[in-house]
Amino acid sequence: MKTRLANEADINTIKELWYENFLDHDSKESIDFYFDNNFDLKHTFVLEDSNEIITSLQLNQHQLVIDNKIENVSFVIGVATFKKYQRQGYMKVLLEDAIRYARNTLHQKYIILQAYNWDVYRSFGFVDAYYRQTITYTLKDLSKYHKSEIEKYNLSKLVDIYQGYTKNLNGYKIRDKEYFRNIEAMSEVEKLSIAQSKEAYIIYGVENNKMFISDCAYLRVESLLELIKSELLNRKLEEVEISTDIYNVFNKNGSRKLYMMVLNLTQNNLEEANCLYISEEI
């Protein structure tokens, strides 16, 4: 049994591993899109026995702004074991090797992850750090807000709004036009829409006559709510559910849930910092 970096010959097996483990959460189309556009073979690990891949994970590489410094950070994704090998401790071996790689080879300070079962990762030292809230508005709730003028979204403008929104936050991902270009392509696969006004944008889907906002940024909270109202009216919808970071300022209370965990590879207390913000599944 050994851990190694993956190679081109492993890609189809790793994709099958994802199909077996993640189709309850993601569509086949979204998994295929990821492998076609975002899969990072260079930082993908497999654990094999007798030349058979048993489990795999990827250390997706991102740049976050943490305490006003740009940090290269590993984001653990695609942690999956073929079902016939699950609950035998293979993932633990692979993750420990990946953590050592991030610390000793990549010389990184932080590792971030999302999980189906958070408790599994606490034994590795991961701590709760990022949270999201879910808030529901009806058109009646938004009656006091004006309609905003919806513009054709522009990648440069999306970057500007995002940078304006995050300037007082911490722990956020750097986004550029290439990031939003990828979001644009992914939105076609996920059947999402992008709406932008002068001071806000939203990325959303519609299901059962309800709008679901998965990402948003704004320069004023009023601008966001005006944009939402306008898009609801344009789509002839009555209700919207907003899932976003807990530092968005709304006039309604939302349900709060854990969104990401952080493992500190140094003694810095990132988990105690204020306004840790990541909106996307990075």
Side-chain angles (χ1 to χ4, degrees):
M1 183 174 66
K2 68 175 182 178
T3 296
R4 62 171 174 82
L5 288 168
N7 57 52
E8 290 280 352
D10 300 323
I11 292 177
N12 287 337
T13 301
I14 296 169
K15 186 183 286 191
E16 288 300 321
L17 185 55
W18 281 45
Y19 289 157
E20 184 176 295
N21 283 270
F22 302 139
L23 282 179
D24 287 343
H25 180 264
D26 297 306
S27 67
K28 182 178 183 298
E29 291 76 15
S30 64
I31 291 174
D32 290 343
F33 178 88
Y34 181 84
F35 274 82
D36 291 342
N37 296 275
N38 299 321
F39 182 71
D40 183 6
L41 181 64
K42 184 179 178 181
H43 298 98
T44 298
F45 292 80
V46 297
L47 185 148
E48 63 180 7
D49 193 9
S50 300
N51 295 319
E52 181 181 5
I53 291 176
I54 294 172
T55 184
S56 177
L57 65 79
Q58 184 178 145
L59 294 182
N60 232 346
Q61 299 302 297
H62 296 277
Q63 288 189 320
L64 305 186
V65 176
I66 298 174
D67 297 334
N68 297 314
K69 296 179 182 178
I70 296 175
E71 297 281 357
N72 294 315
V73 173
S74 285
F75 178 59
V76 181
I77 68 165
V79 180
T81 302
F82 280 112
K83 291 182 179 178
K84 64 181 179 179
Y85 295 116
Q86 290 177 0
R87 303 185 186 279
Q88 298 180 46
Y90 292 118
M91 185 276 286
K92 180 177 185 294
V93 174
L94 184 62
L95 183 56
E96 287 175 343
D97 287 343
I99 290 171
R100 280 191 288 270
Y101 178 85
R103 177 190 292 117
N104 300 330
T105 302
L106 300 179
H107 305 292
Q108 294 178 340
K109 297 179 181 178
Y110 308 108
I111 301 177
I112 293 175
L113 60 77
Q114 293 166 316
Y116 297 116
N117 184 349
W118 301 105
D119 290 337
V120 168
Y121 297 95
R122 292 192 172 96
S123 63
F124 294 91
F126 285 89
V127 296
D128 304 351
Y130 289 86
Y131 292 86
R132 283 172 76 90
Q133 62 178 336
T134 300
I135 298 173
T136 298
Y137 280 93
T138 65
L139 268 179
K140 183 178 179 181
D141 295 327
L142 300 172
S143 60
K144 69 177 182 180
Y145 296 99
H146 300 291
K147 288 183 63 177
S148 64
E149 182 177 344
I150 298 177
E151 305 174 349
K152 179 175 174 56
Y153 73 83
N154 173 280
L155 298 181
S156 296
K157 184 63 175 179
L158 294 176
V159 171
D160 290 343
I161 294 171
Y162 177 79
Q163 290 177 343
Y165 177 68
T166 56
K167 67 180 181 180
N168 294 318
L169 299 178
N170 193 21
Y172 60 89
K173 177 177 166 58
I174 295 175
R175 294 184 182 181
D176 54 16
K177 286 198 293 185
E178 185 59 34
Y179 170 87
F180 283 106
R181 191 172 289 114
N182 188 61
I183 291 295
E184 185 179 38
M186 184 185 69
S187 295
E188 294 183 11
V189 175
E190 299 287 349
K191 297 180 174 57
L192 300 176
S193 299
I194 303 173
Q196 173 202 304
S197 64
K198 184 178 180 180
E199 294 187 329
Y201 72 76
I202 57 175
I203 301 174
Y204 70 91
V206 175
E207 186 175 345
N208 298 324
N209 293 315
K210 184 176 181 179
M211 179 186 292
F212 293 87
I213 294 177
S214 58
D215 184 32
C216 61
Y218 54 86
L219 304 184
R220 296 180 303 116
V221 68
E222 293 82 7
S223 300
L224 174 67
L225 296 175
E226 289 167 0
L227 173 60
I228 292 171
K229 178 179 180 178
S230 301
E231 199 68 359
L232 283 173
L233 291 169
N234 289 343
R235 299 292 296 264
K236 295 181 171 55
L237 301 172
E238 293 288 332
E239 191 174 29
V240 58
E241 181 178 290
I242 309 170
S243 180
T244 185
D245 66 293
I246 62 171
Y247 301 103
N248 268 303
V249 180
F250 297 105
N251 61 358
K252 296 183 70 174
N253 293 324
S255 60
R256 164 176 155 147
K257 67 177 182 179
L258 180 61
Y259 188 58
M260 287 193 182
M261 304 180 84
V262 173
L263 173 64
N264 288 336
L265 301 177
T266 69
Q267 297 302 311
N268 294 342
N269 292 321
L270 176 61
E271 72 273 17
E272 297 177 5
N274 292 322
C275 296
L276 291 178
Y277 170 78
I278 291 177
S279 179
E280 61 272 65
E281 296 184 3
I282 62 174

